[in-house]
Amino acid sequence: MYEVLRLRDLPFFQTVQEILSFYTCPPTCPAICCKVTDIDVDEKDRKILKKAAKGNTTMIKPSTEYESRHYKINPPCPFLEHDKCSVYHRRPTICRLFPFNICHNPEALILYPCDVGASLFDDFIDYSNCVLRQPISEKMISDFRQSHSSFTLETDRDLPIAMIGIEISDLVPFKKYLESK
C-alpha cells in the first residue's frame, strides 16, 4: 500500500505558491473564494483548524469523496469574518491555491474568475501569445472576462461560473515568464 500525498506535497503546489506571490487580493475583495466552494481538508489541515478554532470543529464534516481521511467545510466558510479570513496564516492547503483549484483532469488546474484570477489570466494570455505562440481563443477570453465582470452576481444567484483550465505542465514556464517581466 502506498502513502497518500497531501495536496501541499504535490509537485505543482510550490510552483503555484510562487506564481501567486506576484498577485494580491484587492482590499475590496468580497472573499468569493470563501463563499462559493466546498473547502476540502485533510487530517493535518483539520488538526490545524481545530487549534485555530479552539476545539470547535463541528463545521468540519467527514467526506467520503476520497479513499483516505478527508473532510469538508461547506460554504460559506465559518472562518470568514467581515470578508476576511480569521485563520489566514493557518488556512487549509486548498485555500492557499485559490484562485487555482483542483479539477477532474489530473493534468490541469482550474482558474476562478475573481480579481486575482482575472489578473493572472491576463498575464497567462500574454504568456500564451509571447512564449507558447498559441493564442487563447477570443471566445475563451470573452467568456472568462464576462464571468469575471459578473462573478459576484453569479455566485449570489447560484449560476454557473465560467472558469478555464491551465495545464500543470505550463505552470513552471509561466512562473519563469512572470519572473522575467
Side-chain angles (χ1 to χ4, degrees):
M1 190 164 204
Y2 58 91
E3 180 182 341
V4 175
L5 287 176
R6 292 192 68 218
L7 193 55
R8 71 176 50 231
D9 295 332
L10 294 174
F12 63 80
F13 182 82
Q14 186 58 39
T15 303
V16 168
Q17 296 306 290
E18 292 167 8
I19 289 170
L20 293 177
S21 73
F22 290 92
Y23 305 92
T24 57
C25 294
T28 56
C29 176
I32 298 298
C33 55
C34 305
K35 297 174 183 173
V36 298
T37 61
D38 290 335
I39 300 166
D40 293 316
V41 296
D42 61 18
E43 183 63 29
K44 188 164 186 176
D45 283 335
R46 188 189 71 78
K47 287 178 181 177
I48 292 168
L49 288 174
K50 186 175 180 178
K51 285 181 186 175
K54 298 178 176 53
N56 181 9
T57 56
T58 58
M59 74 295 274
I60 303 173
K61 308 287 185 203
S63 174
T64 57
E65 288 183 49
Y66 307 100
E67 291 179 21
S68 61
R69 272 183 91 96
H70 275 79
Y71 303 87
K72 185 176 293 282
I73 300 172
N74 294 322
C77 179
F79 297 106
L80 187 64
E81 296 176 3
H82 309 290
D83 286 343
K84 302 288 181 225
C85 180
S86 65
V87 294
Y88 184 80
H89 296 292
R90 296 185 218 157
R91 69 194 184 281
T93 306
I94 195 75
C95 300
R96 294 172 188 273
L97 290 175
F98 206 85
F100 290 103
N101 207 332
I102 306 300
C103 64
H104 295 290
N105 176 354
E107 303 297 320
L109 295 174
I110 56 173
L111 182 66
Y112 276 83
C114 65
D115 288 342
V116 170
S119 293
L120 200 151
F121 184 57
D122 286 341
D123 286 338
F124 195 80
I125 292 169
D126 291 342
Y127 162 76
S128 292
N129 290 334
C130 298
V131 176
L132 296 179
R133 305 225 186 284
Q134 296 174 339
I136 295 173
S137 76
E138 289 299 320
K139 178 168 179 15
M140 183 180 289
I141 293 170
S142 174
D143 287 351
F144 191 84
R145 288 191 173 144
Q146 183 177 355
S147 188
H148 170 249
S149 67
S150 59
F151 191 45
T152 304
L153 178 64
E154 290 174 354
T155 57
D156 290 344
R157 292 188 184 166
D158 201 27
L159 297 172
I161 300 168
M163 295 173 267
I164 64 155
I166 294 182
E167 298 279 328
I168 290 174
S169 62
D170 282 330
L171 293 176
V172 170
F174 179 56
K175 178 190 74 126
K176 288 179 181 175
Y177 170 77
L178 292 173
E179 292 169 344
S180 71
K181 282 180 57 171

